[in-house]
Amino acid sequence: MASVNTVAQSDSGQRNFIARLWYDKEARGVILQVLTVSILFAFIAYITSNVIANLALVGKTFSFDFLAEPAHYDINQSLIEYSSKSTHLRAGLVGMLNTLAVAVVGIIVATVLGFVLGVLRLSPNWLISKMVYCYVEFVRNTPVLLQILLVHGIVVHSLPSPRGAQDGGNLAETIFFTNRGVFAPQPLPQDGFGFVIGAFVLAIVGCFIFKRWAKKRQDETGKYLPVFLISLGAIIGLPLLVYLLMGAPLDWNHPELKGFNFKGGFVVRPEFLALTLALSIYTAAFIAEIVRAGIEAINKGQWEASLAVGMSRSRTLSEVIIPQAMRVIVPPLTSQYLNLTKNSSLAIAIGYMDIVATIGGITLMQTGKEMETMIIVIGFYLSVSLTISMFMNWYNKRIKLVER
Amino acid sequence: MSDTSTTQRYPIGQIPDMPPPLLESGIFYWVRKNLLSSWTNVALTILAVWFLWLVLPPMYEWMFSNAVFEAADRAGCQALGDGACWAFIQERFTIFIYGFYPEPERWRPILAFGLLFVALGPLLFDGFPYRGKAMLFSMAYPFVAAWLLLGGGGLTQVTTDQFGGMLLNVIVGVTGITFSLPIGIVLALGRASNMPAVRIICVTFIEFIRGVPLITLLFVASTMLSYFLPPGTSFDLLMRVLIMVTLFSSGYMAEVIRGGLQAIPRGQYEAADSMGLKYWQSMRLIVLPQALKISIPGIVNTFIGLFKDTTLVIIIGLLDILGMGRASLADSKWAGLSSEVYISIAVFFFLFCFAMSRYSLYLEGKLETGHKN
């Protein structure tokens, strides 16, 4: 009807120019877009002018110079060199790395746990399936912040003090579980350790070539090799062999109890432990549901066909069902990874020094630079989110069904 | 054997059904099939039973049989039993629910909460009596609730810093979801629009919101939002939080509704166009009613997520139920009862969220049969 109107009106020429434009679909689109964009710009200009006026009123300037100033605060866990004399920039970097550490470890643990739980949820064993169901429902329906606080409380309260860990709470007197953190010996590579790393890299490369060869062989002759087990053996065995041949070129820096706490060694703080554990537990419940839905989405015929050709249940699952289910699983899995990364910002509730706690917390309080610090924090999260979704999109494309 | 017994005793065609063999029915069959069907299954069952044996009895003892329900303080609890000290929760219960809301006025949040269900009724159930008129009340509900809670106009004024406990969680959650729905619809329509400028703006906004944690937005609300407003204006922290939470959930809402819009067959859009309906007419009369109906489970799930996320307000210093719980841990009379507090709050949230997720599952089931034919 709209197009009929347009023709009628332009023929009679009774309407004025603007009305004619309005009834033309394309012209109207252009007008509306110009209007939207100008309203947006007006809004941005209004906010910017407000910001400038407000900053002038309290005598603040907009600059990132504070990043070069010394931070004057301590961070108890840092992956890079840091002291209270370091700059705010360095503190921010430490925070970013801490966030990424939680995100990476959490994603790995949550994925493994989630897949195992998702498969167990579909187990023919009624008891196991119901237990996983209870776990999933309870975890999914309570706030993640609450879980973080609860896990942190349990970790801090149930582990012994460093002195107590000397008597109990240790693994063979080398790894100590205390409420100040988990202390483990730190490896110190000596001369010749490079060969071990070389052997490790060689083993990984070799496994890739072996996997291709095995696949080709299977395609041609139908003979199946347990690729995973052989690869695992090679990746662990080869470096171990070289390590022993070189005469064990590795020293350990053992943690020792000095005064009230352990000194030396490699330490994982209870905050990191609690946060990673809680986020993994929380996200694993969601991943379990996604995996379950993905497996259930696969046609029953695939199971039957695979069992009919004589594959075992576990091989069917790992080589027929899950590769197909991955196509259903990956998109929602991506958003779970993003959620885990974003939820790691709750670190601030238990005092783990992530980016929100360093730049967005103490630095903000010290310098009073709300704008600048928030821009850094938000920019960081946006770029991490974009990177993860780009990677998962690439992966999703790679495993997509090739249609002929 | 069966040959002789059946053919000799009964005429052909009148042979009664035999009961199934003992091992193929009843409890034995169930156990054999579900718990002991293969060796791995037997091993899993043993493992599960062992695990439950390890976990359940101590948990039961701690939570119920050794727990103390009435005592004056922690020492009193410990004297009576070594289980959980629920007396603490009992003493703080009203503060967990209402925060510092003045005691004589507490009928107002209760009434507002009750009216919430009256307002939700016509939205959620098709067969609600006088649905059309009841819908008007649903529209007016946010304002009625705000008046009841804040007071003014005949009621005693209550300032927002007196809001707390579960009341605060419900206020933030319900406000966020109510106001994010229309914004989410507009954003979703904008994202599906064929005008590039509108589309880009909507996509940028949605992806921005979904790319940052709620905490950073709450920080923006508590530290920075006043910079964006004309000099001299400042408003309530709760109000700022509500604005941010609404914007946050509208990003997620937009994606849920986009899913609904995409699920509508192309033919519906084309049919609406060929009827000569204008864009807003076709959206309002044809597309959105269908799209929103399919999105209801997603909307409920978004609400569950948002409701759980309302606990994050403690990070900027508001005292919701979790904040009240943590604050009461500082009481020296009751020191060291964090497990009791956290577990009871967890149960609280579980009851709310589990009920809602069941409802959304029920809806999914209902909609499923409606659309497959």
Side-chain angles (χ1 to χ4, degrees):
Chain A
M1 205 165 94
S3 63
V4 177
N5 272 351
T6 321
V7 175
Q9 280 151 16
S10 56
D11 278 354
S12 61
Q14 281 174 346
R15 297 284 183 115
N16 60 30
F17 179 65
I18 292 172
R20 280 222 308 275
L21 271 185
W22 187 249
Y23 281 106
D24 183 271
K25 211 175 174 186
E26 273 173 27
R28 187 171 55 187
V30 172
I31 295 172
L32 278 178
Q33 289 183 62
V34 169
L35 263 176
T36 322
V37 172
S38 25
I39 290 172
L40 183 74
F41 273 106
F43 182 65
I44 292 174
Y46 172 69
I47 282 188
T48 319
S49 76
N50 279 343
V51 168
I52 293 171
N54 278 316
L55 283 176
L57 211 65
V58 290
K60 282 182 185 172
T61 52
F62 184 85
S63 83
F64 286 97
D65 292 343
F66 68 96
L67 285 174
E69 289 162 16
H72 296 307
Y73 60 88
D74 281 318
I75 296 178
N76 62 10
Q77 173 143 21
S78 123
L79 295 170
I80 53 173
E81 205 74 19
Y82 177 84
S83 73
S84 59
K85 290 190 186 70
S86 306
T87 57
H88 284 296
L89 182 67
R90 191 88 179 160
L93 221 56
V94 170
M96 287 179 196
L97 286 174
N98 280 349
T99 297
L100 290 178
V102 169
V104 170
V105 178
I107 283 175
I108 293 170
V109 178
T111 310
V112 173
L113 195 62
F115 268 78
V116 170
L117 288 172
V119 170
L120 284 181
R121 174 85 175 83
L122 291 171
S123 152
N125 190 308
W126 182 86
L127 207 54
I128 291 279
S129 156
K130 283 290 174 271
M131 273 164 65
V132 176
Y133 171 77
C134 289
Y135 166 85
V136 167
E137 288 302 328
F138 193 78
V139 168
R140 286 204 316 166
N141 286 312
T142 44
V144 62
L145 180 58
L146 185 66
Q147 290 174 26
I148 291 173
L149 292 174
L150 191 61
V151 170
H152 184 241
I154 290 171
V155 165
V156 170
H157 286 138
S158 67
L159 289 177
S161 69
R163 268 170 192 280
Q166 190 78 329
D167 309 322
N170 58 49
L171 263 182
E173 301 268 319
T174 46
I175 302 176
F176 297 92
F177 297 93
T178 76
N179 55 13
R180 304 272 185 92
V182 176
F183 293 84
Q186 186 181 22
L188 298 172
Q190 306 292 307
D191 289 342
F193 192 71
F195 288 104
V196 180
I197 295 175
F200 180 66
V201 173
L202 204 70
I204 291 179
V205 174
C207 283
F208 266 105
I209 297 169
F210 171 68
K211 190 181 158 197
R212 288 199 146 181
W213 175 80
K215 188 174 184 308
K216 205 173 148 208
R217 180 166 168 271
Q218 192 181 358
D219 287 348
E220 280 166 4
T221 65
K223 282 180 186 149
Y224 170 74
L225 280 172
V227 176
F228 180 73
L229 285 179
I230 293 176
S231 306
L232 197 70
I235 288 174
I236 295 174
L238 197 64
L240 199 67
L241 193 70
V242 175
Y243 177 73
L244 293 175
L245 281 179
M246 295 298 295
L250 200 60
D251 261 0
W252 296 93
N253 175 10
H254 285 278
E256 272 168 40
L257 187 65
K258 282 188 183 147
F260 290 110
N261 205 351
F262 283 93
K263 287 264 157 42
F266 179 75
V267 53
V268 180
R269 297 280 167 202
E271 290 83 22
F272 176 84
L273 208 65
L275 186 65
T276 324
L277 206 62
L279 287 178
S280 309
I281 288 174
Y282 183 74
T283 314
F286 286 86
I287 294 180
E289 277 299 282
I290 291 168
V291 169
R292 180 183 69 92
I295 292 176
E296 278 182 343
I298 302 303
N299 198 321
K300 206 170 185 290
Q302 297 288 327
W303 276 101
E304 289 165 353
S306 174
L307 294 175
V309 296
M311 288 169 99
S312 69
R313 226 186 110 83
S314 59
R315 259 192 84 197
T316 301
L317 194 65
S318 66
E319 281 175 48
V320 178
I321 305 301
I322 291 198
Q324 297 185 69
M326 280 315 268
R327 295 182 196 115
V328 187
I329 292 174
V330 165
L333 195 62
T334 311
S335 54
Q336 286 310 318
Y337 287 172
L338 290 174
N339 281 347
L340 191 146
T341 311
K342 286 184 283 171
N343 282 338
S344 73
S345 60
L346 299 178
I348 195 168
I350 56 168
Y352 177 70
M353 297 300 271
D354 75 331
I355 175 95
V356 179
T358 55
I359 283 280
I362 305 178
T363 297
L364 188 154
M365 292 300 162
Q366 278 190 7
T367 58
K369 298 273 186 191
E370 296 97 348
M371 288 278 183
E372 295 86 339
T373 51
M374 280 290 121
I375 287 174
I376 294 174
V377 172
I378 287 176
F380 170 73
Y381 277 108
L382 278 180
S383 37
V384 171
S385 297
L386 280 178
T387 315
I388 293 180
S389 43
M390 258 157 62
F391 172 75
M392 292 305 275
N393 280 345
W394 166 81
Y395 181 70
N396 198 23
K397 262 197 198 115
R398 216 180 69 104
I399 61 167
K400 218 159 105 179
L401 195 66
V402 184
E403 285 178 19
R404 270 165 257 200
Chain B
M1 188 189 86
S2 60
D3 243 70
T4 51
S5 63
T6 47
T7 47
Q8 283 182 359
R9 284 189 198 166
Y10 306 104
I12 293 170
Q14 292 182 20
I15 305 168
D17 294 341
M18 301 270 286
L22 193 62
L23 284 178
E24 291 299 319
S25 72
I27 183 143
F28 290 109
Y29 174 69
W30 186 88
V31 168
R32 207 160 60 97
K33 181 163 174 280
N34 289 310
L35 299 178
L36 310 166
S37 64
S38 66
W39 282 114
T40 42
N41 213 337
V42 173
L44 279 177
T45 305
I46 294 173
L47 210 70
V49 170
W50 174 74
F51 177 78
L52 289 178
W53 176 250
L54 222 58
V55 170
L56 286 185
M59 215 161 102
Y60 176 77
E61 276 173 18
W62 187 80
M63 284 182 91
F64 301 105
S65 60
N66 289 351
V68 180
F69 293 88
E70 266 171 64
D73 56 7
R74 175 107 201 266
C77 265
Q78 279 167 330
L80 289 171
D82 59 351
C85 182
W86 299 125
F88 176 45
I89 307 298
Q90 214 148 8
E91 193 193 278
R92 296 300 167 106
F93 192 74
T94 46
I95 261 201
F96 282 4
I97 303 289
Y98 303 105
F100 301 118
Y101 207 86
E103 211 163 344
E105 307 295 330
R106 279 186 187 156
W107 59 272
R108 279 155 50 180
I110 296 173
L111 182 62
F113 190 64
L115 285 177
L116 173 65
F117 291 97
V118 179
L120 278 177
L123 296 177
L124 297 183
F125 299 102
D126 298 334
F128 200 80
Y130 305 106
R131 200 172 178 212
K133 275 176 199 152
M135 212 72 118
L136 285 178
F137 174 72
S138 303
M139 304 282 247
Y141 175 74
F143 306 99
V144 175
W147 171 65
L148 272 174
L149 290 170
L150 288 168
L155 293 171
T156 329
Q157 290 248 326
V158 179
T159 52
T160 55
D161 54 340
Q162 288 171 300
F163 289 6
M166 201 61 178
L167 176 65
L168 192 62
N169 292 96
V170 175
I171 290 176
V172 175
V174 171
T175 315
I177 224 68
T178 315
F179 289 99
S180 70
L181 193 59
I183 304 177
I185 292 174
V186 171
L187 284 172
L189 289 177
R191 191 169 186 160
S193 156
N194 46 20
M195 291 186 273
V198 175
R199 199 166 59 228
I200 289 169
I201 293 171
C202 289
V203 170
T204 314
F205 181 80
I206 294 171
E207 294 304 325
F208 174 80
I209 290 287
R210 284 158 45 92
V212 298
L214 178 56
I215 288 241
T216 55
L217 293 181
L218 290 178
F219 267 37
V220 168
S222 74
T223 62
M224 230 166 92
L225 203 61
S226 52
Y227 282 108
F228 294 150
L229 301 167
T233 45
S234 73
F235 54 101
D236 205 80
L237 179 60
L238 181 62
M239 199 63 208
R240 283 180 277 164
V241 166
L242 287 180
I243 291 174
M244 275 305 176
V245 165
T246 305
L247 289 180
F248 179 75
S249 52
S250 63
Y252 288 82
M253 196 62 93
E255 286 298 278
V256 168
I257 293 165
R258 180 169 78 121
L261 285 176
Q262 281 175 346
I264 305 297
R266 219 35 270 122
Q268 296 289 324
Y269 292 87
E270 286 163 2
D273 281 348
S274 65
M275 293 287 287
L277 295 178
K278 304 221 171 63
Y279 177 78
W280 286 109
Q281 281 178 323
S282 73
M283 285 301 143
R284 192 166 54 86
L285 299 171
I286 311 287
V287 176
L288 278 179
Q290 300 183 63
L292 286 179
K293 196 178 159 198
I294 328 177
S295 325
I296 292 178
I299 294 172
V300 176
N301 286 337
T302 313
F303 179 63
I304 296 174
L306 179 69
F307 188 60
K308 289 188 295 174
D309 278 348
T310 54
T311 48
L312 302 199
V313 297
I314 67 170
I315 290 185
I316 54 165
L318 291 179
L319 290 172
D320 74 330
I321 183 167
L322 192 53
M324 283 296 173
R326 287 186 96 192
S328 55
L329 286 179
D331 188 343
S332 57
K333 236 173 76 181
W334 298 99
L337 294 174
S338 60
S339 301
E340 282 86 343
V341 170
Y342 291 150
I343 287 175
S344 43
I345 296 173
V347 168
F348 234 71
F349 272 97
F350 178 76
L351 292 179
F352 264 85
C353 297
F354 188 70
M356 283 191 284
S357 74
R358 286 300 97 172
Y359 171 75
S360 110
L361 271 185
Y362 150 80
L363 262 185
E364 257 169 70
K366 206 173 97 174
L367 294 174
E368 190 90 6
T369 48
H371 279 265
K372 272 189 188 157
N373 41 16

